[in-house]
Amino acid sequence: MTTLTPTPPATLGRSALVVPAKPSSWRRLTATIVVTVIVIVAFWSVDINWARLGSLPGEIVRYLWLMFANPNWDKIGEALLQTWRSVEMAWVGTVIGLVISLPLSFLAARGFAPAPARGALRLLFSVIRAVPEIIIAIAILSVTGLTPLTGALALAVNSVGTLGKWGYEAIEGVDPGPIEAVRAAGGSTPEVIRWGVWPQAMPDFVSFWLYRFEINVRASAILGLIGVGGIGDMLTSYTQYREWSTVGMLLLVVVVVTMSIDAVSGALRRRITEGASVRELDR
Amino acid sequence: MSTLAPLVLPPKPRGRWKPWLGLAIVLLITAVTLSPQWGIAFSFDAIARNWQNGADKVLALLQPDWTFFPRTIPPLVETLQMAVIATFVGAVVSLPLSLWAARLTNPNRYTRGALKTLLNAVRSIPDLLYASVLVAMVGVGALPGIIALVLFNVGIIVKMVSESIEVNDAGPLEAGRAAGGTQLQINRAIALTDAWPAFVNQTLYVLELNVRASTVLGLVGAGGLGLLIDAVRTFYRYDQLSLIILEILVVVVVIDAVSAAIRRRLV
């Protein structure tokens, strides 16, 4: 008769617990080393007086105090007028941009135009996207001068780059079923676009336009820096006069206006892409 | 032989006037913004009168002045240094703040809301406006440019990464809590590991944005290629400007390609 000698549970537990080998991490190590080297070289070689960094936080707090402790509300009327000018630039830029980019994005989508035209348009879109709008504005400056129109045209050109790209991606992403159905029923290409593509792609398009408008509102403030007018123009002038209380007021105006436009446009976009809320459908 | 039931068209859905109303509002606003009294005074007149001017400039832009190339190298390098340093500092600052701004990793509603509101405000000011104010504060050079980029980066990274933490699976975090971990331990051991790919992804994206942005920050005196752009623009040297634009194009395309390659590796 053999008796079973029970193994003590503690030993069993300990011997079964084998910590798995760590996964090979040479790739992660290389990445860490490369990133560290790049960052150290950048810090070491950049032409900055690091000694100044010590007094920097104090300085910034002092300026923030100058700007926001007692903002100068006397100039609020002019600030709002200039903000309206910036928003107008953004709006006109978006509208011109969408009018130009809508047909172009169909030509850049697969199935509507020959391949060379498609390639050329896509290249154009990506070149435009790589150039900052302020540089486009500098080039347009020679035609329309230092006017808000220059700003609007620069934003329009820049919008064509992004709207065109998002547009052809949305068109290529639609369900091909309805398109085939229109073709099978004998529809021409305009009819395919109107009844096969547009009903599906429309919410995306409208949402892109609104989003680009939000971007343009920010960008139009930037364009003021080269003197085409708007809130950015006013902000640079008062920064150069070092009237910090007015600068603080202007920054507050920019923040409030941008955040409100973002909120309205964001709500519209959600309504368009997600449809009516359940409560609304009940009524 | 079945007879066809008479074809009855379903009634048209109601509310078809709504898109037209939207279109009318858009057209109205456009008309106001284009008008000379209230708007930006859109006129083809100015364009027609001066298009020759613009055509000359475009012609000059098409003939880059290659001899200018050596002088563009130091500002180009400074642009890249600014982009790298700002991305690094921005990422380091953003990581704890992202954990602070996400619901799963910071259950306190008030501190979370305060941070989010602050960052929304920070995000709504464009980088060039920060740069122009900072140049007046700390003087001309790369430093104001870097601070402007860092502010801009923190706004973006914290928003994107905290949103990705919130859609992560809450299970592991609950397990961590059940095992008796403090919030700090849970965040470090679990939430951070989950958020890591999103964080690296956003950091690369921000690096791309920084390279683009830092090329123009110099226009307000914040160092980099922009200083040179401003100089050649004042002397109407559009042939030199075109060389700078070409360099920006090349650098942006290369950085985009590199970061796209790294991202594919990560996924």
Side-chain angles (χ1 to χ4, degrees):
Chain A
M1 261 258 209
T2 53
T3 51
L4 282 167
T5 46
T7 37
T11 329
L12 178 77
R14 206 155 291 156
S15 66
L17 186 72
V18 179
V19 178
K22 279 202 171 180
S24 156
S25 61
W26 64 269
R27 197 177 273 164
R28 172 173 291 203
L29 189 70
T30 333
T32 317
I33 292 173
V34 169
V35 170
T36 318
V37 167
I38 291 177
V39 170
I40 289 177
V41 166
F43 267 102
W44 171 74
S45 63
V46 77
D47 180 26
I48 288 181
N49 182 6
W50 292 109
R52 230 170 52 192
L53 210 57
S55 62
L56 197 64
E59 285 283 279
I60 288 185
V61 168
R62 190 168 70 82
Y63 279 111
L64 285 179
W65 177 259
L66 283 175
M67 284 196 278
F68 297 115
N70 189 14
N72 174 9
W73 296 105
D74 295 347
K75 301 253 169 36
I76 183 80
E78 200 200 337
L80 289 178
L81 191 73
Q82 294 297 341
T83 306
W84 168 238
R85 187 123 298 163
S86 288
V87 173
E88 279 179 334
M89 271 192 253
W91 181 274
V92 173
T94 314
V95 170
I96 299 178
L98 79 85
V99 167
I100 297 174
S101 70
L102 186 58
L104 290 187
S105 47
F106 275 97
L107 289 179
R110 208 165 292 125
F112 291 99
R118 201 163 69 216
L121 278 173
R122 290 184 180 198
L123 183 68
L124 176 71
F125 293 155
S126 55
V127 168
I128 291 178
R129 270 180 290 123
V131 181
E133 52 268 272
I134 201 155
I135 300 214
I136 297 178
I138 289 175
I140 295 179
L141 208 62
S142 55
V143 180
T144 46
L146 283 174
T147 57
L149 180 57
T150 306
L153 291 177
L155 292 178
V157 171
N158 216 275
S159 306
V160 168
T162 44
L163 289 178
K165 175 173 194 280
W166 296 338
Y168 78 69
E169 283 173 354
I171 293 168
E172 287 182 353
V174 301
D175 174 16
I179 299 177
E180 281 167 22
V182 178
R183 283 246 162 78
S188 61
T189 304
E191 281 164 338
V192 168
I193 291 174
R194 172 62 187 90
W195 302 107
V197 179
W198 186 244
Q200 293 185 68
M202 190 272 283
D204 285 342
F205 270 98
V206 177
S207 137
F208 295 153
W209 295 337
L210 283 169
Y211 182 54
R212 184 62 219 194
F213 176 60
E214 291 170 38
I215 299 178
N216 281 352
V217 168
R218 287 177 166 75
S220 68
I222 289 178
L223 288 181
L225 296 176
I226 57 164
V228 299
I231 189 79
D233 214 342
M234 195 174 169
L235 189 75
T236 3
S237 319
Y238 282 99
T239 313
Q240 275 158 9
Y241 309 152
R242 304 182 76 85
E243 271 193 38
W244 294 107
S245 55
T246 315
V247 171
M249 182 272 290
L250 289 172
L251 286 177
L252 287 177
V253 169
V254 172
V255 169
V256 169
V257 169
T258 315
M259 282 172 80
S260 337
I261 289 181
D262 282 5
V264 172
S265 159
L268 276 174
R269 278 193 283 139
R270 265 193 302 282
R271 173 67 181 77
I272 288 164
T273 50
E274 289 168 14
S277 68
V278 180
R279 196 157 42 83
E280 238 174 298
L281 286 176
D282 259 358
R283 260 188 286 161
Chain B
M1 299 278 130
S2 62
T3 52
L4 284 169
L7 187 68
V8 180
L9 286 175
K12 286 197 169 182
R14 281 177 304 149
R16 283 168 63 93
W17 51 271
K18 278 181 187 166
W20 295 108
L21 179 69
L23 188 65
I25 293 174
V26 167
L27 287 178
L28 185 71
I29 301 180
T30 310
V32 170
T33 50
L34 288 176
S35 74
Q37 287 112 309
W38 306 290
I40 62 168
F42 188 89
S43 72
F44 285 107
D45 205 37
I47 302 177
R49 217 171 334 111
N50 298 319
W51 73 271
Q52 185 61 47
N53 231 336
D56 290 349
K57 295 292 161 7
V58 172
L59 268 183
L61 282 177
L62 288 178
Q63 299 158 325
D65 175 10
W66 299 104
T67 56
F68 191 57
F69 184 68
R71 273 195 53 204
T72 61
I73 294 298
L76 183 65
V77 171
E78 191 177 37
T79 287
L80 292 175
Q81 288 166 333
M82 282 160 60
V84 167
I85 295 177
T87 310
F88 175 75
V89 177
V92 168
V93 174
S94 303
L95 194 54
L97 289 183
S98 315
L99 295 176
W100 186 352
R103 192 173 41 81
L104 292 174
T105 44
N106 177 10
N108 185 329
R109 192 189 312 160
Y110 301 103
T111 54
R112 199 173 65 229
L115 181 71
K116 277 191 170 171
T117 315
L118 178 69
L119 287 176
N120 274 336
V122 167
R123 242 198 336 269
S124 63
I125 298 180
D127 44 4
L128 266 170
L129 291 194
Y130 279 125
S132 75
V133 174
L134 282 162
V135 164
M137 286 183 185
V138 300
V140 176
L143 188 59
I146 292 174
I147 302 175
L149 288 176
V150 167
L151 283 169
F152 170 67
N153 294 349
V154 170
I156 296 178
I157 300 183
V158 173
K159 178 172 167 29
M160 303 308 256
V161 174
S162 66
E163 278 172 8
S164 92
I165 291 175
E166 290 193 343
V167 299
N168 273 343
D169 186 11
L173 296 173
E174 280 167 22
R177 185 153 301 140
T182 63
Q183 188 69 49
L184 206 65
Q185 288 171 324
I186 295 171
N187 285 354
R188 199 189 63 77
I190 301 162
L192 208 54
T193 339
D194 279 351
W196 192 250
F199 173 70
V200 175
N201 209 347
Q202 287 308 321
T203 306
L204 284 171
Y205 171 64
V206 153
L207 177 67
E208 291 171 32
L209 291 182
N210 281 352
V211 170
R212 269 166 225 246
S214 60
T215 55
V216 289
L217 282 179
L219 280 171
V220 295
L225 267 181
L227 283 174
L228 206 57
I229 294 177
D230 207 34
V232 302
R233 165 172 98 93
T234 347
F235 296 116
Y236 300 102
R237 291 300 301 267
Y238 279 72
D239 49 343
Q240 299 180 339
L241 180 62
S242 110
L243 180 72
I244 300 175
I245 297 177
L246 274 180
E247 285 174 14
I248 297 178
L249 272 176
V250 170
V251 170
V252 166
V253 167
V254 168
I255 295 276
D256 283 8
V258 169
S259 90
I262 298 177
R263 241 178 255 177
R264 261 200 305 283
R265 263 278 147 76
L266 275 174
V267 178

